[in-house]
């Protein structure tokens, strides 16, 4: 029985069934794509953005410490130096808090290696700064 031998109602019904099957396939494909996009968005919002914000806070606080140290070299009075030391102390606390957030969200070994390299660079900078004995 060919398509030409079918009644018009049967052909219309068969065409409608094909359209419904294709529509259902597109619906399932769309829902699958939305699910993948949702999981990627969740990863970006709850993991990547948190890491970026914590890293930016760390960088900001290192910059604040550097600025305070520079100011300490330039100011002539002890009260101004004490104010800068207080800024340094506060920036170190904020740095530590941001680092804790970042460490909680680290999952792969490359991230941990990069953080160890940052720690090593900061330690070597602190040792070099302590060797200068500028403030003694």
């Amino acid at each position: 029985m060919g398509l030409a031998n079918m009644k018009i109602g049967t052909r219309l019904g068969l065409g409608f069934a094909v359209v419904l099957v294709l529509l259902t396939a597109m619906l399932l494909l769309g829902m699958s794509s939305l699910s993948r996009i949702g999981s990627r968005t969740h990863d970006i919002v709850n993991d990547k953005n948190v890491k970026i914000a914590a890293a930016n806070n760390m960088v900001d606080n290192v910059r604040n410490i550097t600025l305070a140290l520079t100011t300490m070299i330039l100011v002539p009075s002890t009260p101004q130096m004490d104010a800068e030391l207080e800024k340094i102390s506060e920036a170190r606390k904020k740095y530590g808090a941001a680092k804790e957030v970042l460490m909680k969200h680290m999952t792969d070994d490359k991230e941990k290696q990069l953080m160890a390299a940052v720690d090593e660079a900061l330690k070597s900078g602190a040792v070099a700064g302590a060797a200068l004995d500028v403030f003694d």
Side-chain angles (χ1 to χ4, degrees), residues 9-133:
T10 307
R11 285 187 279 183
L12 284 174
L14 187 60
F16 185 67
V18 168
V19 168
L20 281 178
V21 167
L22 290 174
L23 185 62
T24 303
M26 288 183 63
L27 176 70
L28 292 174
L29 181 64
M31 289 177 65
S32 171
S33 294
L34 281 176
S35 174
R36 278 184 280 145
I37 290 170
S39 67
R40 287 184 199 155
T41 302
H42 184 298
D43 180 50
I44 290 169
V45 170
N46 295 323
D47 186 50
K48 305 290 189 253
N49 273 354
V50 173
K51 288 177 185 176
I52 290 170
N56 284 336
N57 284 337
M58 291 169 66
V59 168
D60 289 345
N61 286 298
V62 168
R63 185 190 67 243
N64 291 341
I65 291 169
T66 305
L67 288 172
L69 288 171
T70 304
T71 304
M72 284 178 67
I73 292 170
L74 298 175
V75 297
S77 68
T78 303
Q80 289 173 322
M81 289 181 100
D82 290 341
E84 295 303 317
L85 284 172
E86 184 62 34
K87 288 180 187 177
I88 290 171
S89 175
E90 190 64 32
R92 285 182 176 162
K93 288 177 189 173
K94 289 178 182 177
Y95 177 91
K99 183 178 176 185
E100 284 181 31
V101 169
L102 187 59
M103 295 297 282
K104 276 192 241 178
H105 286 85
M106 285 187 183
T107 54
D108 84 30
D109 291 333
K110 183 168 181 160
E111 291 173 339
K112 292 176 184 175
Q113 289 172 350
L114 289 171
M115 192 66 219
V118 167
D119 287 342
E120 188 60 37
L122 287 173
K123 284 178 188 174
S124 66
V127 169
L132 295 174
D133 284 331

